[in-house]
Amino acid sequence: MAEAAAKAHVNIALVKYWGKRDERLNLPVNGSISMTLQQFYTVTRVRFNPSLAQDQLIINEEYASEEQRRRISAYLDRLRVAAKSSAYASVESSNYVPTGAGLASSASAFAALALAAAQALDLHYSPRELSRWARLGSGSAARSIYGGFVEWLRGSAPDGSDSYAVPLFDGGYWDVRVVVAIVGEGVKSVSSRDGMRRVVATSPFYEGWRQTVEADLARVREALQQRDMAKLGEAAEANALKMHATLLGASPPFIYWCGATIEVIRRIWDLRRQGVPAYVTIDAGPHVVVLCEKSGQAAVCEALSRIEGVAEVVSSELGPDAALVEL
């Protein structure tokens, strides 16, 4: 029995990945930049067993739905072809992050799965190759192979060979902190996959999004090089709000936010007016991620903890690369 286990951390995009030019290969319309978080992660164990009649998937100690199992099985089929293996696998995954709620649990899950499954199949891939493999499971998983600040290159090759993530700066480069306001419970009603598809097909605001992304990427790269929190926060916040605006233009329109999401945004803007450099970004869900410096972290946590509808406030530093762990 061949087996391995891996741990990968969630990443939060500073410039969002929103829209695919190839759904089968998860190739993005635009490049993106993210930061990997220490606090949220997935640990996945993969065991290939010739005696199994089909792949098995257990998430947080419960058997997954048939739809989830089929998705993982189709993904593993690609790795089995590469390894010339026919053995099915037992996959046990523990998510230390809310699942399907807009905090990139699929990113950490598929990054951990790619690394563990490749190791178990004796496929010796470089981090760049693992990034490409992770992308096939979930686009943003390409970035969770690396820690710190990461850029996912759009690429142009039809086969996706040049669409992978590259590390920009590791976690020790800049002591940026994030404070996450957990404001909703359960799985969101519109998945990221379906939301992207609807926006690209129907939202008149999407073209405006596309036309400004390259400038956003350049601003974020510059802000990182200069360690300029104001420049980084303003660019990330504007990019996130533009992305969510495209949802309102879709047909039918949809929204990931809840009332507490808006209250958190307002409270952070109030803090900024009071001199605390803090900025929001929001992925495809209701939870709000606040970027700040270490000196402002306590003020942000205190302010958010007093908002009705905020279930939990979690602080995090930058996280590390995906890595193998002991079984």
Side-chain angles (χ1 to χ4, degrees):
M1 184 184 299
E3 58 184 308
K7 179 180 182 180
H9 293 253
V10 158
N11 71 79
I12 296 295
L14 302 170
V15 177
K16 307 298 184 187
Y17 145 55
W18 196 237
K20 301 177 185 181
R21 69 180 194 276
D22 185 314
E23 291 205 5
R24 186 180 68 87
L25 297 176
N26 280 339
L27 297 178
V29 169
N30 60 276
S32 56
I33 296 176
S34 66
M35 55 191 297
T36 302
L37 305 186
Q38 173 72 37
Q39 192 67 26
F40 298 115
Y41 58 90
T42 299
V43 176
T44 297
R45 179 173 63 183
V46 180
R47 295 176 174 176
F48 285 93
N49 186 345
S51 67
L52 290 176
Q54 66 175 14
D55 292 313
Q56 298 176 347
L57 175 61
I58 298 173
I59 301 176
N60 295 336
E61 300 184 342
E62 294 184 1
Y63 280 99
S65 68
E66 180 61 14
E67 180 182 357
Q68 290 173 310
R69 190 198 68 79
R70 288 179 182 272
R71 181 182 179 188
I72 295 299
S73 189
Y75 177 75
L76 291 175
D77 282 344
R78 289 166 145 164
L79 282 164
R80 277 188 280 259
V81 170
K84 297 180 173 60
S85 171
S86 60
Y88 290 112
S90 172
V91 178
E92 298 179 33
S93 185
S94 296
N95 277 328
Y96 297 88
V97 54
T99 302
L103 276 177
S105 60
S106 65
S108 57
F110 274 99
L113 177 61
L115 178 53
Q119 177 72 14
L121 288 169
D122 204 27
L123 295 169
H124 301 291
Y125 290 134
S126 68
R128 179 172 294 184
E129 290 169 324
L130 283 171
S131 179
R132 283 195 291 256
W133 276 106
R135 186 202 75 223
L136 293 174
S138 174
S140 55
R143 301 187 303 244
S144 278
I145 294 297
Y146 298 104
F149 296 100
V150 181
E151 181 165 3
W152 175 15
L153 305 178
R154 176 191 185 277
S156 58
D159 65 356
S161 57
D162 58 352
S163 183
Y164 48 79
V166 294
L168 296 178
F169 301 101
D170 65 26
Y173 169 73
W174 186 13
D175 193 13
V176 173
R177 301 299 176 93
V178 301
V179 179
V180 182
I182 306 293
V183 299
E185 295 182 359
V187 176
K188 57 198 177 188
S189 59
V190 180
S191 70
S192 299
R193 184 184 300 264
D194 291 341
M196 284 186 196
R197 186 181 297 123
R198 190 187 305 180
V199 164
V200 171
T202 68
S203 178
F205 303 149
Y206 187 68
E207 189 56 34
W209 156 265
R210 289 190 60 181
Q211 291 175 1
T212 59
V213 167
E214 287 301 321
D216 291 344
L217 287 166
R219 287 179 67 199
V220 168
R221 289 190 206 103
E222 186 177 82
L224 292 174
Q225 290 166 357
Q226 297 171 355
R227 294 188 181 93
D228 187 327
M229 174 55 72
K231 184 178 291 186
L232 178 67
E234 288 169 4
E237 186 171 283
N239 182 267
L241 297 180
K242 284 185 294 185
M243 187 204 86
H244 283 273
T246 67
L247 281 54
L248 298 177
S251 180
F254 62 105
I255 190 167
Y256 288 126
W257 298 357
C258 62
T261 305
I262 297 172
E263 288 306 311
V264 170
I265 295 171
R266 287 174 171 165
R267 190 64 56 88
I268 293 304
W269 288 353
D270 286 342
L271 280 178
R272 270 215 308 273
R273 284 189 286 269
Q274 295 165 19
V276 178
Y279 303 84
V280 302
T281 185
I282 310 169
D283 276 356
H287 312 300
V288 183
V289 177
V290 181
L291 309 178
C292 62
E293 296 172 328
K294 183 179 180 181
S295 60
Q297 182 177 344
V300 171
C301 289
E302 196 277 332
L304 299 188
S305 65
R306 292 188 282 108
I307 297 175
E308 183 176 354
V310 173
E312 187 178 3
V313 176
V314 183
S315 298
S316 182
E317 302 176 11
L318 294 180
D321 294 353
L324 296 170
V325 296
E326 293 291 332
L327 289 165

